[in-house]
Amino acid sequence: MHSPIIWFTLLIPLACAESAPAPARVIVTDSQSAPSEAAIKVYRYRGPDGVTHYADQAPGTAGFEILWFEHCFACNPDSAVDWRRTDLFVSDYASPISAAARTYQVEPALIRALIHAESAFNPLVVSRKGAMGLTQLMPETARELGVGNAFTPEQNIFAGVRYLSGLLRQYQGDIPLALAAYNAGPGAVEKYHGIPPYTETRAYVERVALLHQRYRDALAGNPRQ
C-alpha cells in the first residue's frame, strides 16, 4: 500500500488545458517571492504520520517547503534545485510503481526518477501544453494508452511506464535515448540521430540519470551523500 497524499485544496484547474498553469519547474525555496508571474506557489510538508501534504496556503507547522511550478521539473537549465541533495520520494505510490515495474519490466528506480523529474510526485500537475499528472501524459498519448483519468495515480503511472517501456525497447535499452524521446519526442531523437541539441532536453536527461542513480542507492538502502 503506497503512502497516501492528502490534498487540502485543489491547486490546479483541470477543466481547460489552455488556461492551466505549467507544471514543473519546481524550485524548492524558503522565499515568498515568485520567480515569475506565471509561477504557482505550492506548500509541501510531511505530517507526523509521514503523509505528504500539499496546500496553497502556508501550513501552521515548521519544516515546510515552497514549490514554484512553471515547467518540467527537471527541464530548466537554470534550475535552483540541488539535484544531488534534493529530497527523494522513496515510498510514495509504492504499490502501483512496483506493479508497473513488474508488468513492463522497468526498474523501479528509473520510474521514480522519471516521475520526480516530470512532476515532483504531484499527481494534479497540468502543463500549458496539456500534459497531465505524475508522468505528464499528453492527452493523445493518454487516449492511445487507454487512460480514463490521467489524474488517477495508478492509471497515470501504468500508462507512463508502458510508454517508457516501449521507448526502451525501441532504443534497445538505451536509457538516455529513451528519456530524450520521452521528453522531446521520438521524432526529435530520430532527426538528430541521438539526444537532440535542446538545452532543456539535455538538462532533463542528465538530471534523470542523476536521480536514477540516487533512487537506486536509496532503494538499496545505501543513499549517497
Side-chain angles (χ1 to χ4, degrees), residues 180-196:
Y182 196 100
N183 175 260
V189 173
E190 299 306 317
K191 176 181 179 180
Y192 291 102
H193 306 288
I195 298 174

Side-chain angles (χ1 to χ4, degrees), residues 12-209:
I12 307 297
L14 307 181
C16 178
E18 292 183 355
S19 63
R25 177 161 69 98
V26 181
I27 301 174
V28 180
T29 176
D30 58 2
S31 171
Q32 295 289 327
S33 300
S36 81
E37 292 182 358
I40 292 176
K41 184 193 298 184
V42 177
Y43 296 90
R44 181 179 71 193
Y45 63 98
R46 290 189 183 273
D49 56 357
V51 174
T52 300
H53 300 259
Y54 293 89
D56 60 359
Q57 296 181 356
T61 182
F64 64 85
E65 296 173 321
I66 299 173
L67 310 179
W68 293 105
F69 284 82
E70 286 190 31
H71 306 292
C72 161
F73 187 16
C75 293
N76 178 23
D78 300 319
S79 170
V81 174
D82 183 347
W83 297 94
R84 298 182 183 279
R85 295 187 179 276
T86 189
D87 288 346
L88 300 179
F89 299 84
V90 295
S91 60
D92 301 70
Y93 305 113
S95 180
I97 287 175
S98 295
R102 290 192 302 270
T103 300
Y104 297 112
Q105 296 298 294
V106 177
E107 185 185 2
L110 180 58
I111 297 172
R112 289 191 175 277
L114 180 135
I115 294 173
H116 194 150
E118 290 289 340
S119 65
F121 279 77
N122 181 339
L124 296 184
V125 167
V126 182
S127 78
R128 275 190 285 264
K129 294 182 178 179
M132 302 173 288
L134 290 167
T135 64
Q136 285 292 276
L137 295 173
M138 291 298 291
E140 59 270 26
T141 303
R143 285 193 297 269
E144 290 172 2
L145 295 172
V147 176
N149 182 353
F151 300 104
T152 300
E154 289 78 6
Q155 291 188 41
N156 191 290
I157 289 169
F158 265 80
V161 175
R162 179 182 171 188
Y163 181 54
L164 177 62
S165 175
L167 293 173
L168 287 167
R169 289 195 302 273
Q170 180 174 340
Y171 298 110
Q172 289 81 50
D174 189 315
I175 293 175
L177 283 184
L179 292 172
Y182 196 100
N183 175 260
V189 173
E190 299 306 317
K191 176 181 179 180
Y192 291 102
H193 306 288
I195 298 174
Y198 309 148
T199 304
E200 289 189 357
T201 298
R202 290 183 177 273
Y204 174 88
V205 171
E206 178 181 341
R207 289 162 181 170
V208 177

